[in-house]
């Protein structure tokens, strides 16, 4: 089953926010934002802007009828700044005009008087000053202090990983219309239907039933449209206040300059191993560079916190994590949601330890890989663990030892060019770590002509969740796929939908849709039983739109069945609900079963470094990844390939630079993401065979984020080259840009 | 009034010549298949085909970024958006994208469809590598490109399997293979009937658009309201030829024409690959050599290359006639150069290389393709009969306010290339530059990197 949206995509017929026919009287909103990273807001002079050409209105915090608050987890984020500003790019108000250009021009006429205060831009400094979001988290298991005393080898150090811009193609945007009875409808590029609806209602000071959020599809999300609602709430506010349709769409450079990124982290690590390379103890301190507001950072940090042991069994561990408040735009969710950073901490420590031991890091990795019965640091006992199976499958395919040997041979014989190689195992917990969010609902309607419409809380953003749900619904009802249409994600049809994130879109919503279809199928079977007077329901089957009784084909079609069932007054609409069972977490004890299951994988990455120029090519990536019983091999392979390349971008060429004042200096022409020639010529993805997963829909496994971890291989492969050349410096931070590679070698 | 054809429809408009084609397509024509994702030519989501009638009465199609393309630049052209490919079934390119699952969120997909369709027109032999190069300006954030490459491979294979590779019958082939719809056959006649009425005049207050792929990133709003003079209107300057001693590049020649020119590659066979580092296909199809020179970026690849090739510029002014200036004397300071309001670069003269001639170009950028260099550098060496250096020229970009031709290599005249001299040359060069810290790298990095690049120039000796 392919992504059925592709047919429209290739013809340019898919409708994104900007493609919706502009309603009569449409106005355009542009935000004006703080030019200062920290300060007291003295005065906002909007008088000139108000009378500028084409301007309909200028709004500030004073105009907000409801609460001036869009904090996603903690109420620390005003929609429009009112007494102080905390980062460059923080919204202070908006201009609404007949064209975007006029609104933009009018923004230049606004005078903002701010008394500057010294900003804090370093996460460690912020922590020292007590500037953190939420609480410090500490997890201990075993006795780390005692264990270190028994270690033969100890690798201790400090390292950093950098931020990453989402660069979803469709920038942040929303289109809002006033509807009768004070209701507002918002077409949004948003991953969190329920939460965004809630934010809009609070800003407008109206009940949620007066706000309808409609989401057809996103031109990419990657987490960036999950928690920061301002770009959807702002046009809704303007539409409400002006009683006119209003659109807000960020330009690419506005988006890069003001929206959240993947969090940079700083790490203090200490890893202890015995003489054989068995890990005995790990101590890790995570400093998350969160930015000015909490946004969703504490949740991201929580996931890093739970994944610092990576794919390894670590009997004694102490994890400390803080979300540091700094004066940069608040960072938010990005594919992997902290797991890449958590994994980076242990993988770096292992790399370091392997140098001390004088062995290849794969020796440590193999020795400590997770197995059934192992406990994770928060006390969860593993079963159906595929960490070793993935590793072994990759080894069988690629002969890891031989690959490493041939790299070593090459490096012996070449001076200016060196190869690097790295193996990365993946263990990624699936479920929202915040247990509440693990719920979804679906509404399945069968119309009297036999066509079926499914609505769910999942948001389609290219990951193919709609096609997966479509296929699950068709299979469950026993009808051809083209009988099923997946409707928009709409808060009036599906209330309180959790965000489509944590890779759970298909798991949760697919299961809800499946349950609804099963209920409808039961009702139809009951009708068939009544009609045929044959009451053994198990012997009534619908397959490919044909009804069978005791294995024999009945002479009425699906369409006729539905028409008759309707005439007989059968309820052809079903809403169903799903909540992931048996997950819980105790935040005080830092113990529990936060994840329903784990996604596994292993990959090997090879790079060629030009040691003269500092440039490199990612030559090959071989991936084995566990997706359970795939709901769609095409879609899952696409998710893996896309995740790996996006991650290699993070590990290598994608860099955000901040000025000394906390301003994002990087813009569209300097933020470079992988292009078609950057991608490794050899790029093989294998789905692990015979993997069964009873914890998700149709034995499948989530696939959106876990493959992101593989991309770390590019960092370690290049790192191995750098360390081969010189060991007199500490490890370089991630990403390893050509500049950093060059300077590591030459400086 | 401007006239052009969008898909199968003749369009006449009084809109300003500086209006961006992407806006015209989306807002005036309501064709929303062409997407806006960066407005800087960085992503390719807005790619369209631009067809121009050539002298032999045939259409020539190229893929361009419509976000940097003013409508004045496409007068009397055929513009093809994704809607213009509509036929009863999907086109071959569209089918192959689906078959290979080469689309996820779909926002970049129409641009990819157009770039691959453009490849079908522009590739000489339908090589797979050409298809990948055709996509070098189409960024996709979702797929990781593996599936897109598979689609490109399948397309290249289909084209190669087709016996009809006569370039004169290209449109027939593409229509047969359901790559473009049949109405394309009627376009030449329609184009002939257009003839937009808009004579352009060059005055002191006119902005010259010589491709505009950087100009329209810098100040699109201002240009929309300005008087514009389009070098694309100077078909008399769209030539690459040679006389006894020089290659002569007309002021309207774009980078892709230069890259693919047999004349250029005869003397400088490296150009074919070097120019791929300059920018993406969708920009090279518009950006001109002259424009790159006048843009005066201290890191401009063409300036750096042409400096060591000892190029000269023929400058035209309608009132004062022609004058010639050496490129090495053209730059006067940061973004300052020897050209006044009503002047244009009419021609670039590149002396033909002597027999014992060595040329090399080095560029390091954060991303190898479609990125601005941190440092770039070129070298040319003229050798005498005894393999001694007769004339050594080295240029360096990104290390000074202007594209720099390094000086003072006279002492190496008559000397051999050996490791001692190479070291000296590198030291000598680095001492002449004073880079600054910026988004492309630290000053220290640039200085050290320049040294390595200069050493690399001599790698082959």
């Amino acid at each position: 089953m392919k992504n059925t949206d592709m047919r429209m995509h290739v013809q340019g017929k898919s409708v994104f926010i900007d493609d919706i026919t502009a309603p009569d009287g449409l106005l355009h909103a542009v935000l004006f934002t703080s030019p200062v990273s920290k300060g007291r807001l003295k005065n906002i002079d909007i008088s000139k802007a108000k009378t500028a050409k084409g301007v309909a209105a200028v709004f500030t915090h004073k105009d907000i009828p409801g609460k001036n608050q869009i904090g996603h987890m903690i109420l620390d984020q005003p929609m429009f700044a009112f007494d102080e500003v905390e980062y460059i790019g923080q919204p202070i108000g908006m201009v609404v005009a007949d064209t975007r250009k006029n609104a933009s021009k009018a923004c230049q006429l606004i005078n903002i008087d701010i008394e500057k205060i010294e900003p804090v831009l370093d996460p460690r400094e912020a922590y020292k000053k007590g500037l953190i979001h939420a609480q410090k988290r500490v997890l201990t298991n075993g006795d780390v202090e005692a264990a270190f005393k028994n270690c033969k080898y100890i690798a201790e150090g400090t390292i950093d990983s950098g931020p990453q811009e989402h660069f979803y193609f469709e920038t942040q945007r929303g289109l809002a219309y006033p509807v009768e009875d004070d209701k507002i409808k918002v077409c949004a590029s948003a991953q969190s239907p329920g939460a965004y609806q809630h934010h809009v209602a609070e800003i407008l000071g109206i009940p949620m039933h007066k706000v309808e959020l409609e989401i057809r599809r996103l031109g990419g999300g990657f987490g960036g449209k999950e928690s920061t609602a301002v770009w959807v709430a702002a046009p809704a506010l303007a539409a409400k206040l002006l009683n006119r349709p209003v659109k807000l769409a960020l330009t690419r450079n506005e988006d890069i300059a003001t929206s959240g990124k993947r969090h940079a982290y700083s790490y203090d690590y200490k890893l202890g191993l015995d003489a054989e390379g068995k890990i005995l103890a790990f101590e890790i301190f995570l400093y998350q560079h969160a930015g000015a507001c909490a946004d969703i950072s504490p949740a991201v940090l929580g996931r890093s916190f739970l994944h610092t042991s990576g794919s390894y069994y670590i009997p004694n561990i102490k994890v400390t994590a803080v979300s540091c408040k700094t004066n940069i735009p608040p960072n938010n969710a990005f594919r992997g949601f902290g797991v890449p950073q958590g994994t980076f901490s242990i993988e770096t420590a292992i790399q370091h330890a392997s140098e001390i031991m004088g062995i290849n890091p794969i020796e440590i990795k193999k020795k400590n890989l997770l197995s059934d019965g192992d406990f994770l640091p928060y006390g969860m006992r593993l079963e159906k663990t595929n960490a070793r199976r993935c590793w072994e499958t990759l080894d069988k395919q690629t002969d890891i030892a031989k690959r490493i040997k041939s790299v070593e041979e090459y490096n012996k014989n070449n001076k200016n060019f060196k190869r690097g190689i790295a193996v990365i195992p993946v263990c990624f917990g699936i479920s929202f770590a915040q247990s509440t969010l693990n719920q979804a609902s679906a509404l399945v309607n069968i119309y009297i002509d036999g066509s079926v419409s499914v609505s769910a809380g999942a948001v389609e953003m290219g990951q193919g969740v709609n096609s997966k749900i479509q296929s699950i619904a068709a299979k469950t009802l026993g009808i051809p796929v083209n009988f099923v249409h997946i409707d928009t994600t709409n808060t009036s049809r599906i209330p309180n939908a959790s965000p489509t994130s944590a890779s759970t879109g298909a798991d949760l919503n697919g299961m809800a849709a499946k349950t609804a279809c099963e209920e409808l199928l039961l009702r139809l079977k009951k009708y068939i039983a009544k009609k045929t007077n044959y009451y053994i329901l198990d012997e009534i089957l619908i397959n490919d739109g044909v009804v069978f009784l005791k294995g024999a084909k009945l002479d009425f079609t699906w369409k006729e069945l539905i028409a008759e069932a309707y005439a007989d007054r059968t309820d052809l609409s079903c809403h169903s609900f799903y909540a992931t069972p048996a997950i819980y977490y105790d935040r005080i004890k830092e113990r529990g079963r936060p994840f329903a299951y784990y996604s596994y994988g292993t990959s090997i990455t090879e790079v060629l470094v030009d040691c003269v120029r500092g440039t490199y090519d990612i030559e090959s990536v071989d991936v084995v990844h566990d997706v359970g019983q795939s709901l769609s091999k095409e879609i899952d392979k696409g998710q893996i390939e896309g995740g790996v390349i996006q991650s290699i971008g993070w590990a290598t060429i994608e860099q955000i630079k901040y000025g000394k004042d906390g301003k994002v200096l990087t813009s569209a022409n300097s933020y470079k993401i992988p292009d078609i020639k950057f991608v490794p010529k050899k790029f093989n993805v294998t789905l692990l065979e015979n993997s069964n997963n009873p914890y998700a829909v149709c034995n499948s496994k989530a696939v959106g984020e876990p493959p992101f971890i593989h991309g770390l291989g590019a960092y370690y492969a290049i790192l191995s080259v750098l360390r081969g050349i010189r060991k007199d410096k500490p490890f370089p931070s991630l990403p390893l840009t050509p500049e950093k590679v060059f300077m590591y070698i030459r400086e | 009034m401007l006239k052009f054809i969008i898909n199968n429809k003749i369009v006449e408009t009084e809109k300003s010549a500086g209006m961006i084609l992407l806006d015209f397509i989306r807002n005036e024509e309501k064709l929303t298949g062409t997407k806006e994702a960066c407005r800087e030519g960085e992503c390719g989501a807005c790619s369209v085909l631009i067809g121009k009638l050539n002298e032999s009465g045939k259409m020539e199609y190229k893929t361009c970024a419509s976000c940097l393309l003013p409508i004045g630049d496409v007068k009397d052209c055929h513009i093809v958006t994704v809607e213009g490919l509509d036929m009863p079934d999907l086109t071959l390119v569209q089918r192959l994208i689906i078959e290979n699952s080469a689309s996820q969120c779909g926002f970049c997909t129409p641009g990819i469809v157009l770039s691959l369709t453009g490849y079908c027109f522009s590739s000489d032999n339908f090589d797979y590598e050409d298809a990948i190069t055709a996509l070098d300006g189409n960024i996709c954030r979702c797929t990781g490109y593996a599936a897109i490459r598979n689609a490109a491979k399948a397309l290249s294979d289909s084209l190669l399997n087709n016996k009809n590779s006569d370039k004169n019958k290209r449109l027939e082939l593409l229509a047969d293979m359901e790559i473009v719809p049949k109405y394309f056959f009627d376009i030449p006649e329609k184009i002939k009937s257009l003839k937009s009425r808009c004579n352009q005049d060059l005055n002191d207050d006119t902005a010259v658009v010589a491709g505009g792929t950087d100009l329209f990133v810098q100040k699109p709003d201002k240009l929309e309201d300005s008087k514009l003079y389009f070098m694309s209107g100077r078909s008399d300057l769209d030539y690459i030829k040679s006389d006894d001693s020089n290659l002569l590049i007309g002021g309207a020649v774009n980078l892709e024409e230069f890259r693919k020119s047999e004349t250029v590659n005869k003397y400088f066979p490296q150009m074919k690959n070097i120019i791929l580092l300059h920018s993406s296909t969708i920009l090279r199809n518009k950006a001109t050599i002259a424009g790159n020179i006048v843009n005066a970026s201290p890191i401009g690849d063409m300036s750096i290359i042409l400096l060591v090739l000892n190029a000269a510029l023929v400058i035209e002014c309608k009132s004062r006639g022609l004058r010639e200036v050496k490129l090495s004397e053209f730059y006067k300071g940061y973004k300052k150069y020897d050209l006044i309001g009503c002047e244009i670069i009419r021609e670039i003269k590149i002396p033909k290389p002597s027999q014992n001639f060595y040329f090399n170009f080095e560029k390091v950028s954060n991303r190898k393709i479609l990125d601005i260099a941190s440092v770039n550098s070129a070298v040319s060496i003229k050798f005498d009969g005894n393999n001694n250096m007769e004339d050594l020229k080295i240029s360096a970009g990104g290390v000074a306010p202007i594209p720099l031709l390094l000086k003072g290599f006279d002492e190496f005249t008559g000397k051999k290339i050996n490791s001692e001299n190479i070291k000296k040359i590198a030291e000598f060069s680095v001492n002449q530059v004073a880079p600054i810290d910026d988004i492309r790298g630290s000053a220290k990095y640039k200085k050290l990197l320049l040294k390595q690049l200069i050493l690399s120039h001599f790698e082959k000796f």
Side-chain angles (χ1 to χ4, degrees), chain B residues 76-147:
Chain B
D76 303 337
C77 288
H78 180 209
I79 297 134
V80 187
T81 70
V82 69
E83 292 87 352
L85 298 174
D86 273 354
M87 50 173 92
D89 194 9
L90 299 175
T91 72
L92 177 65
V93 171
Q94 291 169 332
R95 287 200 301 269
L96 291 174
I97 287 176
I98 294 175
E99 269 170 35
N100 289 283
S101 287
S103 169
Q104 288 184 21
C105 87
F107 213 85
C108 74
T109 308
I112 285 174
V113 170
L114 268 303
S115 279
L116 281 175
T117 307
Y119 150 78
C120 298
F121 278 108
S122 64
S123 175
D124 289 332
N125 306 312
F126 300 131
D127 295 336
Y128 165 65
E129 281 307 321
D130 285 357
I132 297 303
T133 292
L135 291 168
D136 63 4
N138 292 88
I139 301 297
C140 169
R141 191 50 153 169
C142 298
T143 61
Y145 302 98

Side-chain angles (χ1 to χ4, degrees), chain B residues 218-401:
Chain B
Q218 295 166 20
K219 42 183 178 184
D221 289 348
K222 197 176 164 212
L223 290 166
E224 189 168 350
D225 307 325
S226 304
K227 273 193 267 174
L228 302 177
Y229 182 87
F230 293 97
M231 291 301 288
S232 60
R234 292 293 300 271
S235 46
D236 59 319
L237 300 184
D238 194 6
Y239 60 81
I240 297 175
K241 56 192 183 190
S242 62
D243 62 16
D244 289 346
S245 46
N246 292 298
L247 285 180
L248 307 170
I249 316 293
V253 169
N254 70 44
L255 276 136
E256 188 66 358
E257 288 162 344
F258 182 77
R259 180 178 91 82
K260 287 183 136 184
S261 157
E262 281 175 25
T263 315
V264 170
N265 281 285
K266 185 176 157 196
Y267 296 101
F268 304 103
Q270 310 96 317
M271 281 306 175
K272 211 174 162 116
N273 290 323
I274 284 176
I275 304 298
L276 288 178
L277 300 175
H278 178 279
S279 52
S280 63
T281 303
I282 55 172
L283 298 184
R284 289 194 307 273
N285 279 335
K286 237 14 246 185
T288 61
I289 309 281
N292 204 207
I293 292 169
V294 176
N295 192 38
S297 161
I299 194 77
D301 289 335
M302 275 324 297
S303 310
I304 291 302
I305 289 167
L306 292 173
L307 277 171
V308 299
L309 298 183
N310 201 18
L313 311 175
V314 178
I315 291 169
E316 174 194 297
C317 176
K318 70 176 173 188
S319 54
R320 290 183 298 182
L322 302 179
R323 66 184 174 99
E324 199 171 308
V325 58
K326 286 258 183 208
L327 183 61
S328 55
E329 286 154 20
F330 184 67
Y331 298 111
K332 301 295 181 197
Y334 180 68
K335 294 264 177 182
K336 288 199 182 109
Y337 42 80
D338 182 10
L339 196 76
I340 56 165
C342 59
E343 289 181 322
I344 58 158
I345 295 181
R346 181 187 169 84
E347 185 179 86
I348 300 133
K349 285 167 108 169
I350 307 172
K352 286 184 183 170
S354 57
Q355 252 198 344
N356 298 310
F357 185 80
Y358 173 73
F359 162 69
N360 189 46
F361 175 67
E362 294 277 341
K363 170 176 178 176
V364 168
S365 46
N366 187 45
R367 186 174 66 193
K368 284 190 176 172
I369 302 291
L370 182 52
D371 198 357
I372 295 167
S374 296
V375 177
N376 52 6
S377 172
V379 65
S380 74
I381 312 169
K382 212 156 133 189
F383 292 98
D384 66 16
N386 300 319
N387 268 339
N388 295 319
M389 288 185 277
E390 202 175 280
D391 183 18
L392 168 67
K393 285 189 166 49
I394 299 176
S395 59
V399 290

Side-chain angles (χ1 to χ4, degrees), chain A residues 76-132:
Chain A
D76 67 347
Q77 191 166 6
M79 174 156 142
F80 291 146
F82 61 97
D83 58 349
E84 55 176 9
V85 290
E86 295 193 291
Y87 63 95
I88 294 175
Q90 181 174 2
I92 294 176
M94 83 179 130
V95 175
V96 189
D98 56 346
T99 64
R100 194 183 196 285
K101 207 166 162 180
N102 282 337
S104 228
K105 274 187 186 163
C107 283
Q108 308 300 318
L109 303 173
I110 290 164
N111 281 316
I112 307 166
D113 182 11
I114 298 171
E115 183 191 323
K116 284 189 188 176
I117 301 171
E118 191 62 30
V120 176
L121 299 166
D122 176 68
R124 287 178 187 254
E125 187 195 331
Y127 174 62
K128 265 187 217 147
K129 291 185 167 160
L131 297 168
I132 62 168

Side-chain angles (χ1 to χ4, degrees), chain A residues 5 35-36 94 161 184 187 216 228 251 332 473 477 484 487 556 560 664:
Chain A
D5 264 8
V36 170
M94 83 179 130
S161 63
I184 287 280
C187 299
R216 172 68 278 183
T228 321
T251 65
N332 56 19
L477 290 170
V484 180
D487 210 336
F556 70 150
E560 288 161 340
V664 176

Side-chain angles (χ1 to χ4, degrees), chain A residues 242-494:
Chain A
L242 293 168
N243 201 32
R244 293 268 294 270
V246 178
K247 179 151 78 181
L248 181 147
L250 294 188
T251 65
R252 173 62 55 194
N253 282 332
E254 285 170 351
D255 198 305
I256 294 176
T258 64
S259 72
K261 321 254 170 284
R262 179 185 303 284
H263 299 79
Y265 275 58
S266 192
Y267 315 76
D268 293 329
Y269 63 84
K270 185 178 176 187
L271 183 72
L273 307 93
D274 71 10
E276 275 72 52
K278 212 166 155 21
I279 298 173
L280 299 183
F282 187 42
E283 191 173 349
I284 177 80
F285 201 122
L286 306 171
Y287 301 87
Q288 181 194 48
H289 197 171
C293 312
D295 199 286
I296 202 166
S297 295
V300 173
L301 183 69
R303 237 175 198 281
S304 305
F305 179 75
L306 295 178
H307 281 84
T308 53
S309 58
S311 296
Y312 312 103
Y313 173 61
I314 302 180
N316 302 286
I317 191 164
K318 181 179 180 193
V319 189
T320 312
V322 284
S323 178
C324 307
K325 180 179 163 80
T326 52
N327 297 104
I328 60 166
N331 289 317
N332 56 19
F334 195 152
R335 197 179 206 165
F337 206 83
V339 180
Q341 293 96 325
T343 310
F344 180 69
S345 70
I346 181 69
E347 289 291 338
T348 300
I350 288 176
Q351 190 82 24
H352 190 174
S354 74
E355 271 186 21
I356 294 171
M357 295 174 69
I359 57 173
N360 191 291
I362 67 159
E363 302 306 330
I364 300 176
K365 296 183 188 189
K366 273 197 296 193
K367 189 150 282 165
N368 295 282
L369 219 48
L370 289 166
S371 301
D372 279 359
D374 285 346
F375 282 89
L376 290 169
Y378 40 89
M380 184 160 161
R381 189 172 186 270
L382 285 172
E383 50 171 331
K384 297 187 178 293
T385 317
N386 283 332
R388 284 178 188 277
R389 271 193 63 209
C390 287
W391 184 292
E392 282 154 16
T393 307
L394 182 77
D395 196 14
K396 218 174 272 173
Q397 276 181 10
T398 62
D399 196 340
I400 295 170
K402 199 172 147 193
R403 289 274 300 270
I404 291 172
K405 206 157 175 232
S406 82
V407 164
E408 287 167 355
E409 279 300 308
Y410 178 89
N411 290 345
K412 255 184 236 160
N413 301 321
N414 288 278
K415 190 168 160 272
N416 289 342
F417 285 85
K418 299 277 183 194
R419 287 214 157 88
I421 192 161
V423 181
I424 299 291
V426 177
C427 170
F428 197 111
I430 304 296
S431 294
F432 286 97
Q434 192 184 343
S435 298
T436 300
L437 295 175
N438 295 293
Q439 55 171 309
S441 57
L443 174 69
V444 180
N445 296 331
I446 307 178
Y447 296 95
I448 55 169
D449 65 352
S451 64
V452 177
S453 164
V454 181
S455 294
V459 171
E460 175 61 45
M461 49 192 136
Q463 85 281 42
V465 67
N466 279 0
S467 302
K468 285 184 171 177
I469 293 173
Q470 187 184 13
S471 138
I472 290 167
K475 218 161 92 183
T476 310
L477 290 170
I479 54 176
V481 172
N482 62 3
F483 285 22
V484 180
H485 173 72
I486 306 296
D487 210 336
T488 56
T489 312
N490 184 298
T491 52
S492 296
R493 264 175 275 124
I494 302 294

Side-chain angles (χ1 to χ4, degrees), chain A residues 217-239:
Chain A
R217 64 169 59 75
L218 275 50
F222 313 116
K225 297 168 181 173
E226 179 177 355
S227 57
T228 321
V230 59
W231 304 290
V232 171
L237 173 68

